[in-house]
């Protein structure tokens, strides 16, 4: 795949700096109610963040597994995912989804695919619009910024309150623990 995000390390760094400069709210209201982390990750970057949040705060972690996993060949897989995105197609989830009614706060952890939320997470959100809940997006990408992932979440969850996201390039995920915990704190946790 020749997509530009793989080539531009400088823009990746700039994007990360812009995010830091944009800042997080200085003070956030303490989050109340129960929380759960819902995760899809293919290569582990987003998983690291979701697992850290779950472990640090003692929240349950729900990993979305697929009925039919993607091709292991990266190039084939990205082409398939792009086609699914164009067709707004689904990728069915095999994970049993528990009753989410008792949770007020839902962390939605997904990689960015072709500018958007990953197809498996889009599928989950189509089936679970999380009305009345607070959603805290956790996103990784190669370098693309996360606005359209957040827009997807707002689109599929119009009656949820979508809060400030945590985004980091996947290559920096494992080194971003400190920033992640700062975001959690600023988000009221
Ligand atoms: C199908 C597919 C499409 C992707 N599209 C983009 C993209 O448009 N922009 C970008 O910066 N990264 C893109 N990436 C890179 C992933 O967002 C990045 O590697 C992410 O950290 C992977 O997370 P994971 O390890 O949790 O699966 C894409 C990856 C895949 C598999």
């Amino acid at each position: 795949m020749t997509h530009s995000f793989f080539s531009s390390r400088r823009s990746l760094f700039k994007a990360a700096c812009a995010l830091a400069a944009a800042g997080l709210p200085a003070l956030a209201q303490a989050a109340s109610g129960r929380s759960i982390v819902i995760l899809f990750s293919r290569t582990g970057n987003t998983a690291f963040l979701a697992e850290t949040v779950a472990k640090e705060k003692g929240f349950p972690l729900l990993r979305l597994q697929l009925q039919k996993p993607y091709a292991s060949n990266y190039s084939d897989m990205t082409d398939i995912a792009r086609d699914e995105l164009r067709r707004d197609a689904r990728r069915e989830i095999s994970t049993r989804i528990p009753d989410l009614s008792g949770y007020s706060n839902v962390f939605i952890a997904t990689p960015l695919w072709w500018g958007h939320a990953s197809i498996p997470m889009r599928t989950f959100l189509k089936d679970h619009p999380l009305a009345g809940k607070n959603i805290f997006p956790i996103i990784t990408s190669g370098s693309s910024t996360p606005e359209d992932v957040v827009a997807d979440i707002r689109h599929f969850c119009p009656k949820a309150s979508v809060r400030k996201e945590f985004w980091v390039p996947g290559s920096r995920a494992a080194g971003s623990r400190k920033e992640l915990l700062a975001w959690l704190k600023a988000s009221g946790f």
Side-chain angles (χ1 to χ4, degrees):
M1 184 166 48
T2 56
H3 206 242
S4 60
F5 62 81
F6 290 118
S7 58
S8 177
R9 299 189 69 157
R10 188 178 299 169
S11 64
L12 186 155
F13 180 70
K14 274 190 193 159
C17 291
L19 180 76
L24 291 161
L27 276 177
Q29 251 187 321
S32 60
R34 291 168 67 205
S35 305
I36 186 168
V37 183
I38 300 180
L39 161 71
F40 176 76
S41 177
R42 191 174 153 269
T43 50
N45 297 334
T46 320
F48 174 85
L49 304 176
E51 285 162 4
T52 302
V53 169
K55 207 166 160 191
E56 190 69 30
K57 295 290 165 186
F59 298 155
L61 174 65
L62 184 68
R63 256 171 239 276
L64 302 182
Q65 311 276 8
L66 301 178
Q67 285 180 13
K68 287 187 192 157
Y70 284 96
S72 50
N73 177 289
Y74 185 68
S75 170
D76 290 352
M77 182 271 147
T78 49
D79 286 351
I80 290 167
R82 184 171 48 183
D83 179 58
E84 287 175 339
L85 184 68
R86 282 184 181 146
R87 292 185 292 110
D88 193 23
R90 297 171 58 89
R91 182 60 66 152
E92 299 303 335
I93 309 288
S94 60
T95 309
R96 195 190 69 79
I97 310 297
D99 177 10
L100 298 174
S101 61
Y103 295 99
S104 308
N105 309 307
V106 183
F107 291 82
I108 290 293
T110 178
L112 172 152
W113 283 5
W114 297 112
H116 289 267
S118 64
I119 307 296
M121 187 56 81
R122 290 166 62 90
T123 304
F124 170 81
L125 294 174
K126 283 173 183 174
D127 294 344
H128 301 88
L130 305 175
K133 301 186 189 301
N134 303 311
I135 300 182
F136 299 85
I138 297 176
I139 302 159
T140 70
S141 66
S143 62
S144 302
T145 53
E147 308 79 40
D148 287 346
V149 178
V150 176
D152 283 347
I153 297 172
R154 288 188 200 283
H155 172 74
F156 293 121
C157 306
K159 292 186 179 158
S161 169
V162 182
R163 305 298 178 84
K164 175 72 187 151
E165 76 281 1
F166 182 81
W167 163 72
V168 73
S171 58
R172 286 189 45 224
S176 67
R177 182 183 158 81
K178 213 171 143 192
E179 291 159 67
L180 179 66
L181 297 184
W183 168 78
L184 262 182
K185 193 170 177 193
S187 302
F189 294 93

